Amino acid sequence: MRYCGISENFHNAAIAFVEEDGNISFASESERYSKRKNDPILHNTLNSMVSVNDHISFYEDIKLRNKYSEKIASNLPSNKAALDKARHFKDRVATSYSRFSFDKSYLHHESHAAAAFYTRPWSSSEDTVCLTIDGYGEWQSATIQDSNFNLLYEETYPKSIGVVYALCTKALGYKPLEEEYIVMGMSAFSENILLSEFEEAVNCFFTDNLSYNDFLVYLHSLNKEELAGTVQKWAEQEIFKLAQKARKYGSKLCYSGGVAQNIVANSKIRSLFDDMWVAVNSTDGGSALGAAARSYCLETGMDRINWKNTYLGLENWIDVNPKEVAKYLQENKIAGVIHGKAEFGPRALGNRSLLANPIYDVKDTVNKIKQREKFRPFAPAILEEYAKEYFEGPMNEYMQYSSVAKHDYKSVMHVDGTSRVQIVKKDSESIIRPILEEFYSLTKVPMLLNTSLNVKGMPICNNFYDGRLFESKYKTKVFG
């Protein structure tokens, strides 16, 4: 039997398949096919992959989501529009159920926890605790669960780190539930943190002593850098408190949910635990894998699936010559790569990447190609054996932590001297490993700037045709 997990309707639809042997055969977000960022509807190409013999699981409890979405909407300003949206959501869910016969559905935060727990790199479970934090799912906004998925602690809407961060993102003029990472990058420029005042306003909002509209008015009263810096500092503080609670129940942490993408906060809580695993795709899209893994493990009695890497999507069969790419980067500074299977998750880790030569000050040029703000930072991908020579602090192969740079390559360093490092191990299955090796042989520099092959507001390129379009439209060489 094949185990299929589906995330759909709210945002970032995705599908994932776990085979009888515990291997993940495929996982991808809908946006890669529809070309619509955070597409909430599963694309027909992905729908067609489902077989009548599959055990199909949904990533949240439909009845509870419908119940609470209307209840939450009724408390919002302009509640007619909000209620209409909630009821439209119910119609979309009905459409999902007309396409698939779901064998099982799980709570939203159960699927988040499963995405982390069942892919963890260590075998023991009794010392492991799961922490999930996001905007809200059904009604929960944060949970602590043990290795048997027993609920140890929860926070519920409107008390939500994710909701507050999303509202601040909106107040700053960016898209909530999509561009929070821009706010995190902006926060490094803040020189004035208004933490006490902000805490008071948030607590009033949580206890209904400050309305939704009045809270937004307060957020708009702060200048951009103040707000970005303050909400980031507040979020770090609140995440740390939850991580401290989780530490009472386990020495090893499995962490997921949209808030788990805040790499600065991840770095702050890392020292609390003997080991820590952040779900590689901690978004709602990643919960498709969580739902599939949960069903597989409940059916088989296993407590892990066979996680190898994040290269789980569409495969591009066109060969790329690493030596040719490295030489081009040495001479022309910037190039795109589409090779092998696409990454499952929000970050390109070498197979759907825009790479640049960090020897030169290419940050502004790459930001111009990607149509991003000039203050936005870029991440380095570095050969594993040189990582500690160039960076200090927590690092892994999935760009999930912030480290302090020990070098002068400004293109892969944020204004605060930190970098979101991607370690590229010797056994990496990505084309980026041989490209880095060839680049090092040419330049004696073991790293490259690595960002996703897309422009702001668009999904990461998925196939050969996307690459050709990117190449012609943005005048940037794409290999593959």
Side-chain angles (χ1 to χ4, degrees):
M1 181 185 293
R2 190 172 65 160
Y3 298 85
C4 169
I6 291 173
S7 162
E8 191 178 30
N9 296 314
F10 187 57
H11 67 104
N12 200 23
I15 198 167
F17 295 95
V18 176
E19 303 293 330
E20 285 186 338
D21 58 4
N23 287 319
I24 308 164
S25 55
F26 181 85
S28 182
E29 292 93 340
S30 186
E31 65 171 30
R32 301 294 183 95
Y33 294 82
S34 69
K35 312 309 176 189
R36 178 187 173 193
K37 186 70 174 175
N38 284 332
D39 191 345
I41 305 300
L42 207 61
H43 192 266
N44 286 337
T45 301
L46 302 179
N47 287 329
S48 66
M49 294 180 180
V50 182
S51 165
V52 293
N53 296 319
D54 290 337
H55 183 291
I56 309 172
S57 302
F58 200 64
Y59 82 118
E60 63 182 13
D61 188 305
I62 298 299
K63 291 181 180 178
L64 286 176
R65 166 65 81 170
N66 286 338
K67 173 185 174 181
Y68 282 97
S69 63
E70 286 202 24
K71 183 178 178 181
I72 290 167
S74 67
N75 292 324
L76 296 177
S78 305
N79 61 6
K80 184 183 184 303
L83 280 168
D84 287 345
K85 186 175 181 180
R87 287 161 185 158
H88 177 58
F89 171 80
K90 289 179 72 172
D91 292 340
R92 292 212 309 257
V93 170
T95 302
S96 294
Y97 266 74
S98 70
R99 290 201 314 273
F100 303 114
S101 177
F102 291 108
D103 297 285
K104 186 70 177 177
S105 64
Y106 301 102
L107 289 176
H108 186 103
H109 279 259
E110 184 180 4
S111 294
H112 272 318
F117 181 76
Y118 291 127
T119 59
R120 71 191 189 282
W122 59 84
S123 60
S124 61
S125 61
E126 66 280 353
D127 54 358
T128 300
V129 62
C130 299
L131 174 64
T132 63
I133 314 173
D134 63 5
Y136 63 90
E138 294 103 6
W139 74 98
Q140 295 172 317
S141 57
T143 71
I144 297 172
Q145 302 172 58
D146 67 16
S147 57
N148 293 313
F149 291 79
N150 296 311
L151 183 65
L152 305 173
Y153 176 82
E154 69 175 353
E155 291 181 352
T156 61
Y157 184 90
K159 185 176 184 181
S160 169
I161 296 170
V163 165
V164 170
Y165 214 106
L167 290 176
C168 291
T169 301
K170 181 178 181 179
L172 287 164
Y174 299 109
K175 295 178 182 178
L177 302 180
E178 184 174 324
E179 296 183 330
E180 281 78 1
Y181 60 90
I182 299 177
V183 178
M184 184 179 66
M186 187 190 299
S187 69
F189 292 84
S190 181
E191 297 178 356
N192 190 24
I193 305 296
L194 307 173
L195 195 56
S196 296
E197 174 188 313
F198 188 81
E199 284 178 322
E200 183 178 351
V202 169
N203 290 335
C204 287
F205 173 63
F206 285 166
T207 56
D208 288 331
N209 293 321
L210 188 66
S211 71
Y212 180 98
N213 275 341
D214 287 341
F215 185 54
L216 280 176
V217 169
Y218 164 71
L219 297 180
H220 281 288
S221 73
L222 306 178
N223 71 46
K224 281 196 169 187
E225 289 182 8
E226 279 179 344
L227 180 53
T230 300
V231 69
Q232 175 63 29
K233 189 61 67 177
W234 173 83
E236 291 170 21
Q237 172 184 282
E238 298 305 307
I239 294 165
F240 195 84
K241 288 177 184 177
L242 286 169
Q244 285 179 312
K245 287 182 186 292
R247 182 62 180 84
K248 296 175 183 177
Y249 301 102
S251 60
K252 296 178 181 177
L253 180 69
C254 289
Y255 183 31
S256 190
V259 173
Q261 294 183 93
N262 193 307
I263 63 163
V264 178
N266 290 356
S267 304
K268 298 285 177 67
I269 67 174
R270 176 63 186 88
S271 61
L272 290 173
F273 298 91
D274 297 342
D275 213 336
M276 178 170 159
W277 174 252
V278 183
V280 173
N281 189 348
S282 61
T283 70
D284 283 4
S287 289
L289 179 59
R294 183 77 171 132
S295 288
Y296 168 80
C297 289
L298 286 174
E299 288 285 324
T300 63
M302 304 296 287
D303 74 348
R304 283 194 297 172
I305 58 174
N306 299 329
W307 174 266
K308 296 178 182 177
N309 55 55
T310 189
Y311 308 106
L312 298 167
L314 181 71
E315 186 159 12
N316 189 52
W317 290 98
I318 297 173
D319 286 335
V320 171
N321 185 329
K323 187 172 290 188
E324 185 181 353
V325 178
K327 184 67 175 175
Y328 188 90
L329 289 168
Q330 182 191 30
E331 296 175 351
N332 299 282
K333 303 176 185 176
I334 300 169
V337 173
I338 293 180
H339 179 81
K341 292 184 177 181
E343 298 89 342
F344 178 52
R347 297 189 178 106
L349 298 168
N351 282 6
R352 300 293 187 275
S353 287
L354 186 63
L355 304 174
N357 186 336
I359 297 171
Y360 301 98
D361 188 6
V362 293
K363 186 183 291 185
D364 286 349
T365 304
V366 178
N367 268 326
K368 185 176 180 181
I369 292 170
K370 288 174 66 72
Q371 301 176 14
R372 308 190 327 168
E373 297 84 354
K374 285 189 175 182
F375 66 80
R376 300 274 298 281
F378 286 108
I382 187 167
L383 294 170
E384 175 185 25
E385 53 270 36
Y386 298 98
K388 290 183 179 179
E389 181 181 336
Y390 284 80
F391 300 96
E392 183 176 0
M395 297 175 272
N396 71 3
E397 58 265 53
Y398 302 112
M399 294 186 184
Q400 292 174 319
Y401 298 100
S402 177
S403 303
V404 177
K406 297 162 64 176
H407 58 76
D408 296 321
Y409 296 105
K410 302 295 184 184
S411 290
V412 290
M413 189 191 310
H414 200 21
V415 66
D416 59 0
T418 63
S419 296
R420 185 184 67 193
V421 181
Q422 176 195 354
I423 290 175
V424 183
K425 295 187 174 183
K426 292 180 180 179
D427 62 353
S428 170
E429 294 185 17
S430 170
I431 188 69
I432 199 168
R433 177 71 199 196
I435 290 173
L436 279 167
E437 290 173 347
E438 294 291 347
F439 186 76
Y440 179 71
S441 71
L442 291 171
T443 65
K444 299 307 175 187
V445 176
M447 62 182 167
L448 288 165
L449 182 156
N450 178 21
T451 186
S452 53
L453 188 61
N454 67 334
V455 297
K456 183 182 174 183
M458 292 295 294
I460 299 171
C461 290
N462 199 33
N463 55 36
F464 166 83
Y465 302 102
D466 295 341
R468 297 287 73 77
L469 181 62
F470 189 97
E471 186 174 63
S472 63
K473 191 171 183 179
Y474 304 109
K475 310 305 178 187
T476 303
K477 174 68 176 176
V478 176
F479 291 86

